[in-house]
Amino acid sequence: MRTPRTRTMLLAATVAATAVAGALTAVTASAAVAGCRVDYQVTNQWSGGFGANVTVTNLGDPVTAWTLTWSFAAGQQVTQAWNATVIQSGTAVTARNVDYNGTIGTGGTAAFGFNGSWNDVSNPTPASFALNGTTCTGGTA
């Protein structure tokens, strides 16, 4: 027969194990991406500047937060962004969800846009994107 103290200790251990499992599940849910697709569109371009729209499609498990990374090859710089927090260090660009668009279900999308500067010689599309660390290939393989 279990004593009240034993029951209390078992209950405390169960609560602690459940809390740890819940925390691990939350981290996995925000980071799990089996595949993704990115549609990067230059919407307009002018001397020294351009606008772009980016749509990310999640092909994996639902995520509760996202980070999209890419590099510019020709010296482009993000100067203003909307629907994402965008930072740039050298050629490396990081876009993070804002509070209202962090969740992307399986097959769902998130979109953001930005204005940028370029050198008036070349404004190539980034060669590669990664969503939560997974390279976006357009498939799940």
Side-chain angles (χ1 to χ4, degrees), residues 34-37 59-60 134-141:
C36 49
R37 180 174 55 246
L59 302 175
T134 299
T135 301
C136 297
T137 63
T140 57

Side-chain angles (χ1 to χ4, degrees), residues 12-117:
T14 302
V15 169
T18 302
V20 168
L24 290 174
T25 300
V27 169
T28 303
S30 68
V33 175
C36 49
R37 180 174 55 246
V38 175
D39 181 21
Y40 177 95
Q41 300 268 328
V42 173
T43 56
N44 51 40
Q45 196 163 280
W46 59 93
S47 180
F50 69 102
N53 285 330
V54 181
T55 302
V56 181
T57 302
N58 176 19
L59 302 175
D61 294 332
V63 297
T64 57
W66 55 266
T67 300
L68 185 71
T69 57
W70 72 91
S71 292
F72 282 128
Q76 301 101 315
Q77 294 285 315
V78 174
T79 58
Q80 176 188 27
W82 50 92
N83 297 329
T85 300
V86 180
I87 58 171
Q88 185 169 353
S89 178
T91 62
V93 183
T94 302
R96 287 190 173 85
N97 66 274
V98 289
D99 60 352
Y100 56 83
N101 69 353
T103 300
I104 312 174
T106 302
T109 62
F112 65 95
F114 65 89
N115 288 327
S117 63

